[in-house]
Amino acid sequence: MLNIILMGPPGAGKGTQSELIVKKYGIPHISTGDMFREAAASGTEVGKKAAEYMNAGKLVPDEVTIAIVKERLSKPDCANGYLLDGFPRTLVQADALKTLTNEISRPLTHVINLIADEDELINRIASRRVCPNTSCGASYNLVSKAPKVDGKCDLCGHDLILRDDDTPESFKVRLEAYKGKTYPLIEYYRQEGLLKEVDGLKAIDEVFASIVEVLEPPYDCN
Ligand code: AP5
Ligand code: MG
């Protein structure tokens, strides 16, 4: 059973690695950021409110975020595993998740923290381009994962854009939110005995190989 949290600062590669993990292991990808962006694109009240926080780089309030995760994690497709990307981000969310996963008997099995330094995060965010087509949402990087045709999505042909919160101002606030509110969760999950750290500075396929090693540790004969 793989009930995973993938953690890391903005731009560490959570979305990129999530895509590879769900493809290999066939578990649902639960990204709170993606869920809020979809809600914003659909123009729902929750989406409009969330967009105000997101575009400013601030965290969406705990009660809203916990409610959407609670609903999603309780769905039948999460019974055989799930991958949380970008949740929890506060101690309140982590405690709520612990209660919820106990209630629904889907306890966490792995917490993987992607490590990357600030300069690399800034470069990755500045060179990220995303597909605005909500039924596609593919993500690229001008340096490390360029589209085949300049400025166009490989999958659906839409013009690629910069994510609304990938401005230098918003990124600065996101990083501060990470340092102040999310970073303490590393110690929280270390204490729980669940934490595994992975070097996120390596190439995308090398990072993925390290994650697979965490999820499928080599058999120890001794
Ligand atoms: P969210 O969408 O989760 O954004 P984030 O945490 O800031 O992280 P990113 O998605 O920017 O980065 P990533 O780690 O996924 O990196 P990626 O793989 O794309 O959240 C957005 C907002 O939603 C939050 O700010 C908040 O407002 C709200 N929100 C979400 N969850 C919330 C919660 N729990 N509570 C409250 N509010 C919440 O990679 C980045 C770039 O680098 C890409 O271009 C990629 O191609 C490239 N790249 C990836 N890996 C590598 C590599 N190994 N080498 C070179 N390039 C790489
Ligand atoms: Mg992401």
Side-chain angles (χ1 to χ4, degrees):
M1 181 71 75
L2 296 175
N3 295 339
I4 311 167
I5 293 176
L6 191 55
M7 289 179 58
K14 302 183 293 297
T16 304
Q17 295 302 326
S18 291
E19 208 180 297
L20 299 171
I21 295 169
V22 301
K23 196 166 162 200
K24 181 169 171 70
Y25 296 104
I27 53 177
H29 176 202
I30 304 174
S31 158
T32 37
D34 287 349
M35 287 159 93
F36 287 136
R37 277 184 288 277
E38 277 159 28
S42 319
T44 64
E45 278 314 306
V46 169
K48 281 186 213 161
K49 202 79 213 136
E52 285 174 26
Y53 288 96
M54 292 170 84
N55 294 346
K58 294 180 186 166
L59 293 183
V60 177
D62 283 335
E63 59 275 19
V64 179
T65 312
I66 290 166
I68 64 160
V69 171
K70 201 168 180 176
E71 193 192 345
R72 182 64 189 88
L73 259 192
S74 306
K75 291 199 171 157
D77 67 335
C78 296
N80 297 318
Y82 55 81
L83 172 64
L84 287 165
D85 158 5
F87 183 93
R89 286 190 207 223
T90 64
L91 287 167
V92 171
Q93 293 179 13
D95 284 338
L97 180 65
K98 196 174 179 179
T99 307
L100 172 66
T101 52
N102 283 336
E103 274 169 15
I104 60 177
S105 303
R106 294 172 185 177
L108 290 169
T109 56
H110 301 80
V111 177
I112 299 172
N113 182 40
L114 293 178
I115 302 171
D117 63 53
E118 213 165 303
D119 287 343
E120 176 67 8
L121 300 176
I122 292 168
N123 290 337
R124 285 186 189 176
I125 291 291
S127 51
R128 171 164 59 189
R129 296 294 180 273
V130 295
C131 177
N133 175 3
T134 43
S135 59
C136 176
S139 178
Y140 299 86
N141 191 282
L142 301 181
V143 180
S144 57
K145 196 183 166 196
K148 293 191 183 93
V149 177
D150 204 18
K152 301 274 180 201
C153 179
D154 290 352
L155 304 179
C156 70
H158 268 69
D159 288 340
L160 299 177
I161 59 162
L162 200 66
R163 220 168 81 177
D164 288 341
D165 59 347
D166 278 350
T167 60
E169 301 75 29
S170 173
F171 179 72
K172 211 170 148 208
V173 181
R174 283 158 66 197
L175 204 54
E176 288 309 313
Y178 171 78
K179 287 180 190 166
K181 294 183 173 158
T182 311
Y183 188 78
L185 297 187
I186 295 174
E187 198 44 44
Y188 179 101
Y189 285 116
R190 201 191 306 281
Q191 298 284 331
E192 299 269 313
L194 291 168
L195 186 78
K196 298 283 181 198
E197 310 230 62
V198 165
D199 181 359
L201 285 175
K202 293 183 186 162
I204 291 171
D205 56 341
E206 290 176 301
V207 177
F208 183 57
S210 304
I211 291 176
V212 171
E213 219 166 279
V214 167
L215 300 176
E216 300 175 38
Y219 185 67
D220 183 359
C221 311
N222 299 313

